[in-house]
Amino acid sequence: MAERGRLLVISGPSGTGKSTVIGVLMARKEGLEFSVSATTRAPRPGEKDGVDYYFVSRDRFNEMIENNELLEHAEFVGNCYGTPRSQVEARLEKGITVILDIEVQGAAQVKKAMPEAITVFLAPPSLEELERRLRGRGTDSDETIRRRLETARKELLLAPEYDHMVINNEPEQAAEEIRAILES
Ligand code: ADP
Ligand code: 5GP
């Protein structure tokens, strides 16, 4: 029987670079699979259903909660996000390492339910740089950016609760640090 895979939780403020760093990590390390979340957020240009997210209605999201289909879920800046159990459990059994890109409330729920999960807080070098990245990404309105930054100030206080903290100064370097955490 294959050794059980590991659950790697990457969390941290919106715009810190989680998707970017996970992209580098997956390109570089074999045997990692990304857990595709469900969300009620509208797709951004270029985002694909079933690849970036499962884009669902509020009704469908509530149904997933009621049916216990989600490992964790949270509301973030006006939208719901959750991890389908179907993305995680079967893969862990097959020995695959599963990566979650989730915000801090969800990360705490996962750690509670599965203490063996490895949690990494990906931090920006500064709040000023976080704002530059959110603006530079060009996907959110000024109001959404303001709310995401306001949320980030509170999220940063939670970094000490994680198993590891990595500062995303540069994506290749941050991915390398996370790879080293997985190897250790
Ligand atoms: P998150 O998934 O945490 O919301 P993204 O991966 O979408 O963040 O990154 C937000 C923006 O910052 C993107 O435009 C991305 O290209 C950029 N970015 C990511 N990492 C870095 C970095 N280390 N230095 C500069 N810009 C970065
Ligand atoms: P975005 O709208 O920028 O794609 O994501 C907003 C936030 O939601 C990010 O911090 C991201 O990590 C988080 N997120 C994405 N999927 C999930 C999920 O399944 N559960 C939780 N709790 N947060 C998620």
Side-chain angles (χ1 to χ4, degrees), residues 12 14 18 37 41 44 53 72 74 76 81-83 101-103 106 137 148:
S14 172
K18 299 181 296 298
S37 296
R41 170 167 77 59
R44 295 176 179 142
Y53 280 108
E72 60 72 35
F76 180 86
Y81 298 82
T83 303
D101 170 348
I102 62 177
E103 54 68 68
R137 187 167 68 185
R148 286 181 181 230

Side-chain angles (χ1 to χ4, degrees), residues 145-160:
I145 290 175
R146 190 190 62 72
R147 290 174 68 194
R148 286 181 181 230
L149 282 170
E150 192 180 284
T151 305
R153 289 176 194 279
K154 297 175 201 144
E155 291 171 324
L156 289 170
L157 301 175
L158 299 173

Side-chain angles (χ1 to χ4, degrees), residues 12-22 44 101 122 125 129-130 132-139 148 168-172 174:
S14 172
T16 196
K18 299 181 296 298
S19 305
T20 305
V21 171
I22 289 171
R44 295 176 179 142
D101 170 348
L122 190 68
E129 173 62 14
L130 182 67
R132 265 195 294 280
R133 288 182 191 175
L134 278 170
R135 294 201 183 284
R137 187 167 68 185
T139 51
R148 286 181 181 230
N168 179 21
N169 285 304
E170 197 281 313
E172 298 281 337

